[in-house]
Amino acid sequence: MKSFYFSLVILFSIVANSQSKFTPEWSKGIIWYQIFPERFNNGDPTNDPKVTDQNGAYPFDDTSAFQIHPWTSDWYQLQPYEQQNGKDLYYNLQRRRYGGDLQGIINKLDYIKSLGVNAIYLTPIFWSPSSHKYDALCYHHVDPTFGPDPEGDVAMMKNENPLDVKSWVWTKADLLALKLIKEVHARNMRIIFDGVFNHMGMKSFAFEDVQKNQQASAYSDWFSIDSWDDPAKGTTFQYKGWFGVKTLPEFKEDEKGIVAGPKAYIFNATKRWMNPMDKGIQDGIDGWRLDVAYDVGHPFWKDWRRWVRSINPTAYMTAELVSPIEKTRPYLEGDEFDATMNYNFAFIVHDFFIQDKLASTVTQFDAQLATLREAFGNDVALNMQNLMNSHDATRLASAVANPDGKKFGDWGAYFNWSQKSNNKEYNARKPTAAQVQKQKLIAAFQMLYLGSPMIFYGDEAGIWGGNDPDCRKPMVWDDKTYDAETYNPDQSTHEPDAVAFNKDLYNWYQKFMVLRNNYKSIQLGNYTTIAKDDAQKLYVFSRKYQGEEVLVCINRSDKPVNFTNELLKTNKFKEVFSNKVMKTVTIEPMNLVVLSRR
């Protein structure tokens, strides 16, 4: 009988272990770099969007004067062409196009690689009239203005039947996306695309047909339609838009998730980018980031995951979720996603490092990290995209310049408070040297903590800015000369803030990214708290993997702190950059010391 129970214990242990390990090996502990393509680099000025390419995008003005916005101009300054329409800055910010494209990303892959990046996440690149492209016209084509022949691409697409995969063509923009994937892989990096499967744009092929043909449309059952145009019944065409936004009509869902029509289309588009032309997954993307995953039913995600993994068994799937642990847990049980954009990590780090008077204690910080780290199992924890900002959040460089305001974890309140358009008191100026030092400490912690750090393009270059749209400034490159930021949103002025590539900050990011890539213990090791001193604001933790250990000593205070313990006295730890043996450590204010033994 004992042997029977022993066998059951072994069996349950094997099952539990297999269930806990469902994420790809390649994505554990890697460094992510998020790119907003329209603002990253203009590699091909011949494909720059025209004003008519904005048709259907807010603020619905494709007739006013327009030009490609000067890349190096003062962000808040209205240019002469913008002044002609008589509208304010925030109206015009939505009309701006800087000309970033796929060739621009390809041209900068060596820069990204040299920084220490292992994988790239692109916000949407599919055809869309907006700068952000979360209002897709389709999922099976790259935006023509991201490729070398916009007019030719549009002409090619006109002959397609979106419901017939065999009729789908490969435009020049599509082919350039495949070249981008190839070039990324050639540098031993990975790349994922953004899947926006809750809604499409109002100018999408499907929704335009529904508007035109109503119930007779081949896509009539694709969207959440409340009523049709029917003079006899006295009803007009009404439908649900995501978050009430009518330019983003939502797909219809039932108890099985997204209904059959759009589901089949999404599945076909998914395969197209994962196994292009059926030539093999080596030519396709390595996974997906899923937009507003919380607004799509679980049954769809379960089916979609099975489909994705049938195409590529090592594909990575990460979800946009801004929810507490218990609400996030159902998405991370092995049958939906491998990870999330880890906003909960950002909330905890924000409270400890960025807040001053309102900062959490070292003990609270450590406890909150442990709760989050252990919430979904180590397999998931190693894959979580530990970010501090994104295209939907205040730049880290501006977050550190605005301590003791709203809590980042109060997502909705913080989102609005950190927008200069909603909060005139928000500090959108260049951060001070002390504030940049705080950013450095946070960046180093990101690179040394358990999980997969993700930085937003330009964090390393010193870009600052409040929440959307200010977090989406054009990338600051070291070979460009930029106008100083002098203008306020109301077009009044302040003392100039010089804008330039921050080489010192770049070197700091690169140093810690390279360090992470050189130590398996930082990428994959366990996490042990060694010391937590609330009075001195000292925090020490260990990362250990096989015979290698890294010790990280952080001083969150404004005074130097000394640290030593038995571990240091007996284990011959060396400072990682100088290789000097250290038995006691002095950590400068708002700084850290990293030690290792192998």
Side-chain angles (χ1 to χ4, degrees):
M1 197 66 161
K2 285 183 178 179
S3 62
F4 171 72
Y5 285 120
F6 181 72
S7 297
L8 276 180
V9 170
I10 295 294
L11 176 62
F12 285 132
S13 175
I14 291 171
V15 170
N17 189 55
S18 65
Q19 288 177 338
S20 67
K21 290 186 176 295
F22 54 81
T23 68
E25 290 298 316
W26 65 262
S27 55
K28 292 178 179 177
I30 64 171
I31 301 171
W32 289 95
Y33 192 80
Q34 181 190 354
I35 295 175
F36 190 88
E38 213 280 320
R39 303 289 163 80
F40 188 62
N41 186 38
N42 188 346
D44 181 4
T46 68
N47 65 12
D48 287 347
K50 299 177 174 59
V51 67
T52 50
D53 292 313
Q54 297 190 27
N55 183 261
Y58 182 84
F60 315 111
D61 179 359
D62 60 357
T63 58
S64 292
F66 174 81
Q67 68 178 64
I68 293 300
H69 206 79
W71 194 277
T72 59
S73 59
D74 183 343
W75 174 253
Y76 283 138
Q77 182 181 7
L78 286 171
Q79 295 294 306
Y81 82 92
E82 294 175 305
Q83 295 171 5
Q84 293 182 43
N85 60 41
K87 303 293 186 178
D88 68 8
L89 174 82
Y90 290 101
Y91 178 96
N92 280 287
L93 280 177
Q94 300 300 330
R95 297 185 76 242
R96 283 186 187 174
R97 300 294 183 270
Y98 286 82
D101 50 34
L102 295 189
Q103 189 60 52
I105 299 172
I106 292 171
N107 293 351
K108 295 297 184 179
L109 287 178
D110 288 338
Y111 165 87
I112 296 169
K113 177 69 177 179
S114 67
L115 186 58
V117 170
N118 309 119
I120 296 168
Y121 150 45
L122 297 184
T123 58
I125 63 170
F126 302 132
W127 194 13
S128 151
S130 67
S131 62
H132 54 75
K133 309 212 174 296
Y134 283 95
D135 51 349
L137 303 187
C138 67
Y139 300 143
H140 63 288
H141 287 303
V142 170
D143 193 289
T145 64
F146 281 167
D149 184 17
E151 292 182 4
D153 285 357
V154 172
M156 287 179 70
M157 289 186 283
K158 285 181 178 178
N159 297 319
E160 289 182 336
N161 174 5
L163 295 175
D164 180 8
V165 177
K166 293 180 180 179
S167 75
W168 292 1
V169 297
W170 287 91
T171 67
K172 289 186 178 180
D174 296 340
L175 295 175
L176 190 61
L178 299 190
K179 181 182 178 182
L180 169 62
I181 295 166
K182 184 177 180 179
E183 293 290 340
V184 168
H185 290 166
R187 290 164 175 78
N188 197 29
M189 295 190 292
R190 308 275 185 152
I191 185 169
I192 63 173
F193 283 0
D194 205 325
V196 189
F197 301 151
N198 166 263
H199 53 263
M200 295 186 85
M202 64 183 294
K203 293 291 185 177
S204 64
F205 67 87
F207 194 73
E208 277 204 319
D209 195 84
V210 170
Q211 283 187 301
K212 177 182 178 182
N213 297 309
Q214 298 285 293
Q215 297 100 316
S217 170
Y219 310 99
S220 61
D221 62 347
W222 277 39
F223 300 95
S224 295
I225 309 299
D226 294 325
S227 61
W228 301 97
D229 277 331
D230 191 333
K233 293 182 179 179
T235 59
T236 59
F237 183 57
Q238 299 293 331
Y239 59 94
K240 290 183 175 63
W242 177 78
F243 218 68
V245 179
K246 289 296 188 179
T247 56
L248 304 175
E250 283 195 317
F251 287 130
K252 185 178 180 180
E253 294 194 49
D254 58 21
E255 69 280 359
K256 296 180 181 179
I258 294 175
V259 295
K263 180 179 179 179
Y265 174 67
I266 292 168
F267 275 39
N268 286 330
T270 297
K271 182 181 179 183
R272 177 179 173 88
W273 300 110
M274 295 185 67
N275 184 3
M277 306 178 194
D278 293 320
K279 290 184 177 180
I281 59 174
Q282 72 281 352
D283 295 327
I285 57 173
D286 301 289
W288 296 85
R289 178 266 191 187
L290 289 313
D291 185 59
V292 295
Y294 48 86
D295 279 332
V296 177
H298 290 286
F300 173 83
W301 291 131
K302 295 180 195 303
D303 287 348
W304 185 77
R305 179 184 180 87
R306 283 191 289 269
W307 175 243
V308 167
R309 283 294 176 85
S310 74
I311 301 167
N312 181 352
T314 66
Y316 173 82
M317 288 160 275
T318 184
E320 181 194 23
L321 296 171
V322 191
S323 304
I325 288 171
E326 288 310 311
K327 287 188 176 181
T328 301
R329 198 184 305 279
Y331 296 92
L332 296 172
E333 295 181 338
D335 57 351
E336 294 189 30
F337 302 107
D338 301 309
T340 72
M341 298 177 74
N342 201 2
Y343 281 102
N344 284 314
F345 167 86
F347 300 157
I348 295 168
V349 173
H350 188 282
D351 281 354
F352 179 66
F353 285 107
I354 292 178
Q355 304 283 36
D356 287 329
K357 296 175 183 177
L358 304 177
S360 53
T361 66
V362 173
T363 300
Q364 291 169 333
F365 179 59
D366 180 62
Q368 290 165 353
L369 286 175
T371 299
L372 180 60
R373 192 168 59 245
E374 297 162 7
F376 314 109
N378 193 58
D379 194 50
V380 170
L382 287 169
N383 274 281
M384 293 293 263
Q385 292 177 308
N386 293 337
L387 77 170
M388 283 306 300
N389 50 196
S390 72
H391 64 291
D392 283 330
T394 303
R395 283 276 181 181
L396 178 55
S398 283
V400 297
N402 289 273
D404 299 331
K406 298 290 184 181
K407 294 267 190 177
F408 195 8
D410 297 331
W411 176 257
Y414 185 88
F415 191 95
N416 292 320
W417 171 81
S418 58
Q419 287 180 309
K420 189 70 174 175
S421 57
N422 292 324
N423 178 11
K424 292 182 180 179
E425 301 305 313
Y426 190 82
N427 177 18
R429 299 285 300 277
K430 184 176 186 175
T432 65
Q435 291 161 350
V436 172
Q437 180 59 35
K438 187 181 282 190
Q439 178 180 349
K440 284 183 172 182
L441 184 55
I442 292 168
F445 178 74
Q446 263 187 291
M447 295 304 149
L448 296 165
Y449 186 68
L450 186 147
S452 298
M454 182 162 74
I455 66 172
F456 190 34
Y457 79 95
D459 287 350
E460 78 284 4
I463 295 180
W464 69 87
N467 209 335
D468 175 22
D470 294 351
C471 57
R472 303 173 181 183
K473 292 179 181 178
M475 175 66 177
V476 175
W477 294 109
D478 61 355
D479 60 350
K480 292 183 182 294
T481 301
Y482 292 77
D483 294 342
E485 286 198 9
T486 305
Y487 280 77
N488 296 309
D490 64 1
Q491 301 304 286
S492 63
T493 58
H494 54 71
E495 289 298 311
D497 288 326
V499 177
F501 185 86
N502 189 328
K503 184 65 173 177
D504 177 66
L505 188 60
Y506 169 86
N507 288 340
W508 177 273
Y509 271 86
Q510 185 186 51
K511 180 169 74 169
F512 282 93
M513 291 164 80
V514 170
L515 178 67
R516 182 182 184 91
N517 287 328
N518 286 339
Y519 281 84
K520 284 291 183 183
S521 54
I522 303 177
Q523 298 167 46
L524 301 172
N526 61 18
Y527 188 98
T528 305
T529 302
I530 303 298
K532 44 187 177 181
D533 185 328
D534 290 340
Q536 295 193 89
K537 298 184 179 179
L538 171 70
Y539 184 51
V540 183
F541 62 89
S542 163
R543 304 292 312 281
K544 189 183 294 185
Y545 184 81
Q546 297 177 353
E548 178 183 278
E549 184 174 12
V550 167
L551 204 63
V552 180
C553 311
I554 293 175
N555 178 8
R556 170 64 183 81
S557 78
D558 58 1
K559 297 180 178 65
V561 174
N562 294 319
F563 171 73
T564 189
N565 71 353
E566 292 304 313
L567 201 61
L568 278 179
K569 292 176 181 177
T570 59
N571 284 288
K572 296 184 178 179
F573 278 89
K574 296 179 180 180
E575 199 276 330
V576 293
F577 300 114
S578 68
N579 212 32
K580 180 181 177 182
V581 175
M582 308 282 281
K583 293 186 179 296
T584 185
V585 177
T586 299
I587 310 118
E588 296 301 320
M590 289 302 292
N591 215 321
L592 78 164
V593 173
V594 185
L595 310 166
S596 73
R597 67 178 180 87
R598 281 170 159 162

